[in-house]
Amino acid sequence: MPLSTPRIAGVDVARGLALLGMFSVHVFGTFEPDDSPTAAWQFAGGRSSATFALVAGVGLAFTTGGRTPRVDRGSLASVAARAATVGLIGLLLGYAANAGGLSVDVILAFYALLFLLALPLLALRARTLACLALALGVVAPFLVHLLRGALPEPAFDGDPTLQDVVTDPAGLLGDLLVHGPYPVLAWTAYLCAGLAIGRLDLFDRRTATRLLTGGLALAATAWLTCSLWLFRWGGLERLRQTEFPDATGPHARDEVLWDPPDGETWWSMLSRAPHSTSPFDLLHTLGAATALLAAVLLLTRITVVRRALLPLAAAGSMPLTLYTAHVLFLATGTLNGSPGLQYAVLVAGSLLFAAGWRLTRGQGPLEALVAGTARRARGWERGRAQGSPPELPVHRSEPTERTDRTERTESQDQHR
């Protein structure tokens, strides 16, 4: 099914870029054999997963009314069903990741809790959501640091699985909220920002331009302010002494700058390393993700660019399917000794599969599964509220208004 508007193409392309960035970080890792940071980690570390979370918020806004939020009990049931299904897939995927000894840190269970926490936010206005995102970017890292000492740590190693839901529910909740690589308490900032963006008129060039300017300003301000603390005001040495006491040798500085600290002391709040969950990390990646999305929205207004990026947009329209497939591929250990070739196979395979599937089938297979579950939950809830069995979905071949067409394209075709 072709992409019908620059807006949808831009959102899907941004998500596709985020996917490829996450692939690169998972394949190449954090450090080279000589202990210098990899190019993948320097460019995509933290930023790609932040973009993935932010665009998830945009998609969630699209499925709940776009610029005019429509949040009834059916919509809430639909989002909850999506969360449950994504979480189940993530917990099942944990078995494969653990069996393969991967250090991927499967993100899907964290996403599921993010979606559930977003339920009371769905009716908020864009301005309120944007302010909440910025406030969380500043405050949430300190809350995460405090709560790490209060909430139980998980008893399991590696990625959570279905077994941990039964054997260690408190540890699993603590892992998802504060202890894990994507602490939901802080990552709600990305989802709020995405919801705010999804409530805007993204067809308007001026909106994308403002998002680009604001995103770049936020990313640059956070990065430069952190650099002052680290290099001018002695923060780098204090961070090394408190969080990296064993860092020695020619690449000790690289380790402090690019390796997330354990968060044993408050000095970890000065880190700008990817996934350090400091205010500087959150605000920089939030700005970078916003700027990337805005830049792609502007670029895909150009017809020739939009057409050239169709394979990437197709990949971005089925992120759950491709993310799951890439974890399963990495778990097999295929081409582990050749990371460059492994990454090339992942990228080429994802783009070719996505383009072919989108042209012949439409929605990705796992996206269709999630969408079907959400649709049934919405129908069941609405039928229960009306005191009658839920109606079967009725196919309408032609919308009557442009607004209906846009919302159907966004919510049904692309962002389920």
Side-chain angles (χ1 to χ4, degrees):
M1 184 177 297
L3 301 173
S4 62
T5 69
R7 176 184 182 179
I8 296 300
V11 170
D12 281 339
V13 168
R15 192 188 288 110
L17 289 171
L19 271 174
L20 299 190
M22 293 171 77
F23 291 176
S24 71
V25 171
H26 297 160
V27 168
F28 295 104
T30 306
F31 293 104
E32 301 281 6
D34 65 354
D35 292 328
S36 62
T38 62
W41 189 249
Q42 292 184 63
F43 287 101
R47 298 186 185 97
S48 55
S49 52
T51 303
F52 204 58
L54 182 136
V55 179
V58 176
L60 192 56
F62 286 168
T63 60
T64 53
R67 295 182 64 192
T68 307
R70 293 194 303 271
V71 184
D72 54 17
R73 296 184 65 173
S75 299
L76 296 178
S78 172
V79 173
R82 290 173 188 273
T85 309
V86 169
L88 176 61
I89 294 172
L91 293 173
L92 292 174
L93 207 54
Y95 289 105
N98 293 337
L102 301 182
S103 56
V104 164
D105 295 324
V106 176
I107 201 171
L108 299 183
F110 297 85
Y111 264 34
L113 185 55
L114 265 179
F115 289 158
L116 290 178
L117 292 182
L119 291 176
L121 307 175
L122 296 177
L124 298 181
R125 296 180 178 180
R127 186 183 298 273
T128 305
L129 288 164
C131 292
L132 184 57
L134 291 175
L136 285 171
V138 175
V139 175
F142 295 97
L143 294 178
V144 168
H145 187 89
L146 283 172
L147 290 175
R148 278 175 178 163
L151 295 180
E153 295 189 29
F156 54 86
D157 292 323
D159 291 293
T161 63
L162 275 176
Q163 177 182 342
D164 301 314
V165 176
V166 178
T167 61
D168 189 21
L172 174 60
L173 183 61
D175 186 56
L176 296 179
L177 284 174
V178 297
H179 292 297
Y182 319 102
V184 167
L185 186 59
W187 276 59
T188 305
Y190 300 126
L191 198 72
C192 286
L195 280 170
I197 293 171
R199 300 298 186 208
L200 302 176
D201 181 9
L202 299 185
F203 284 108
D204 190 346
R205 183 192 300 270
R206 293 170 298 179
T207 299
T209 302
R210 292 189 189 109
L211 287 173
L212 177 61
T213 304
L216 289 175
L218 179 60
T221 300
W223 187 268
L224 293 175
T225 303
C226 187
S227 297
L228 285 175
W229 277 102
L230 292 174
F231 302 122
R232 291 291 183 89
W233 300 331
L236 185 65
E237 182 57 26
R238 294 306 298 265
L239 187 60
R240 188 198 67 78
Q241 292 174 357
T242 56
E243 294 288 334
F244 301 92
D246 298 327
T248 57
H251 290 288
R253 176 173 165 145
D254 285 336
E255 183 177 350
V256 177
L257 288 175
W258 294 103
D259 198 20
D262 293 330
E264 298 294 332
T265 69
W266 286 106
W267 288 103
S268 63
M269 295 294 100
L270 289 182
S271 178
R272 68 182 189 193
H275 297 290
S276 58
T277 316
S278 72
F280 297 114
D281 168 44
L282 278 184
L283 293 175
H284 170 74
T285 51
L286 181 59
T290 301
L292 175 63
L293 173 59
V296 174
L297 286 170
L298 289 171
L299 284 173
T300 50
R301 295 177 68 92
I302 305 170
T303 302
V304 65
V305 174
R306 185 168 66 254
R307 289 175 177 171
L309 295 177
L310 278 176
L312 191 56
S317 73
M318 51 189 74
L320 182 58
T321 296
L322 296 182
Y323 182 88
T324 299
H326 108 278
V327 172
L328 295 176
F329 175 78
L330 292 178
T332 66
T334 305
L335 300 175
N336 271 354
S338 306
L341 181 58
Q342 189 181 57
Y343 183 64
V345 168
L346 271 174
V347 172
S350 297
L351 295 180
L352 289 173
F353 170 82
W357 187 278
R358 183 119 182 100
L359 230 115
T360 57
R361 301 289 186 91
Q363 265 187 326
L366 290 184
E367 284 71 22
L369 172 66
V370 173
T373 303
R375 186 166 53 249
R376 285 188 289 273
R378 182 191 296 112
W380 180 84
E381 176 57 37
R382 288 178 177 173
R384 189 179 69 86
Q386 295 170 2
S388 60
E391 296 181 2
L392 293 175
V394 178
H395 175 72
R396 292 183 292 176
S397 60
E398 187 64 30
T400 58
E401 296 181 3
R402 181 180 181 273
T403 302
D404 293 338
R405 185 187 308 115
T406 299
E407 290 173 354
R408 180 174 294 108
T409 301
E410 290 169 346
S411 63
Q412 294 181 357
D413 294 343
Q414 298 294 327
H415 296 284
R416 283 184 171 174

